[in-house]
Amino acid sequence: MSIFTPTNQIRLTNVAVVRMKRAGKRFEIACYKNKVVGWRSGVLKDLDEVLQTHSVFVNVSKGQVAKKEDLISAFGTDDQTEICKQILTKGEVQVSDKERHTQLEQMFRDIATIVADKCVNPETKRPYTVILIERAMKDIHYSVKPNKSTKQQALEVIKQLEEKMKIERAHMRLRFILPVNEEKKLKEKLKPLIKVVEIEDYNQQLEIVCLIDPGCFREIDELRKKETKGKGSLEVLNLKDVEEGDEKFE
């Protein structure tokens, strides 16, 4: 896409337009393609790597620059760099149907990859392949939400798939070392958060090796610190309790 701007005689190429409606008017900025996401995620810090020009337009493709009075009315300032930042952060990226379709396909694959990485068949403890998760997502007619992170959507997908197939988040294996005088009260509070106790050994201290849902880790760690006043220790032995080999649908 190449845009000729007669206002300043600059030919803008490789343009991604970001648009915002404010005070009943449309405002646009011209960015480099594939840079907007980098700015929004914090990877890119230099505005000049993202913006083709610090001008604010009413129509980038026609090269129509916004009037100063319209900027002041809509944004309370005519500082174009500051306005560009606002539009870049909160505006809507304009993409073609083909680009949108490609983005959604990529997000679908990314979500399936996260689910496959986090989950197993609870009976065999084996992970599912990405292809099998993609197929299962299509079977439940999962629709990708472009404005939601792939990680958030992966957690939604896991919940939906749990109703249709044998799947759960792979358990995390932990080892606790707890002071004997603190262990009884803490053990009762930990009980509902632990899936399986594998080892429970009393010596001068209590050692517990157990499996938990990864989503409970933070709560467990905070509980341990609070109840033992920092005396107990917690060690992650395995991030994922899985068996070798991929799971297959029968």
Side-chain angles (χ1 to χ4, degrees), residues 17-22 27 29 36 39-40 75 82-94 147:
V17 175
V18 183
R19 179 182 297 163
M20 178 185 276
K21 288 186 179 176
R22 200 87 172 256
F27 299 96
I29 55 174
V36 178
W39 173 269
R40 290 180 174 178
F75 297 94
E82 284 306 311
I83 294 168
C84 283
K85 285 181 184 176
Q86 284 191 48
I87 297 173
L88 187 55
T89 304
K90 299 177 182 176
E92 185 180 333
V93 183
Q94 306 301 299
N147 296 322

Side-chain angles (χ1 to χ4, degrees), residues 153-175:
Q153 292 187 73
L155 295 175
E156 288 177 5
V157 168
I158 292 168
K159 286 179 185 174
Q160 291 182 35
L161 290 181
E162 282 173 341
E163 298 173 9
K164 300 290 182 181
M165 60 189 281
K166 294 171 183 174
I167 189 170
E168 70 176 9
R169 287 191 67 175
H171 293 149
M172 183 185 282
R173 182 176 279 110
L174 304 178
R175 177 193 282 129

Side-chain angles (χ1 to χ4, degrees), residues 118 151 155 162 169-174 176 186 189-196 210-225 234 236 239:
K118 288 183 178 292
K151 189 174 179 181
L155 295 175
E162 282 173 341
R169 287 191 67 175
H171 293 149
M172 183 185 282
R173 182 176 279 110
L174 304 178
F176 290 95
L186 181 54
K189 291 186 177 180
L190 288 173
K191 198 180 286 183
L193 301 173
I194 292 174
K195 291 284 186 183
V196 179
C210 61
L211 299 177
I212 67 157
D213 185 315
C216 297
F217 177 77
R218 186 176 293 176
E219 186 180 350
I220 287 171
D221 193 31
E222 286 175 356
L223 199 57
R224 187 262 314 172
K225 287 175 184 172
L234 174 60
V236 177
L239 285 171

